[in-house]
Amino acid sequence: MSYKVEFSKAASKQFKKLPVNLQGRIQIKIDELATEPRPDGVKKLKDRENAYRIKVGDYRILYKIIDDILLITVIKIGHRKDVYRDES
């Protein structure tokens, strides 16, 4: 059972701004989510429904899991000091 992984528009922009070596490390983790959406070390976010985060060094990948249709949406990618801040 494999999930489809897609990026939000914001997450795609954030990903492209990262250094190439970091993009590679993050892409590996995102690809692994397709087969295991809740890997070891994943943390459910309290303030958001079906939202989780995984760590890659000092960076965080925030994503939503929709089990009904086997979909993972990457919401946000960023440094740990900035990623949890709201844009509002």
Side-chain angles (χ1 to χ4, degrees):
M1 186 164 69
S2 185
Y3 284 69
K4 180 179 181 220
V5 179
E6 63 182 32
F7 284 77
S8 70
K9 196 171 187 178
S12 182
K13 281 183 172 182
Q14 293 161 347
F15 181 75
K16 290 175 184 173
K17 289 181 182 179
L18 297 173
V20 175
N21 64 336
L22 188 58
Q23 282 182 10
R25 290 174 47 206
I26 288 174
Q27 188 63 54
I28 289 168
K29 287 287 190 181
I30 290 172
D31 292 343
E32 289 172 357
L33 291 176
T35 55
E36 180 54 58
R38 294 172 184 90
D40 289 341
V42 71
K43 190 98 169 181
K44 177 146 177 30
L45 300 179
K46 293 179 183 177
D47 57 340
R48 301 176 193 188
E49 191 174 335
N50 298 325
Y52 298 83
R53 74 107 168 98
I54 52 175
K55 297 179 182 181
V56 179
D58 285 341
Y59 284 78
R60 305 294 182 260
I61 303 166
L62 306 184
Y63 63 98
K64 281 189 176 180
I65 301 173
I66 305 170
D67 289 309
D68 299 345
I69 57 173
L70 301 178
L71 178 67
I72 294 173
T73 304
V74 178
I75 306 167
K76 211 171 184 185
I77 301 170
H79 193 275
R80 64 186 180 147
K81 70 178 166 106
D82 300 321
V83 77
Y84 301 108
R85 294 184 186 159
D86 289 333
E87 279 85 45
S88 55

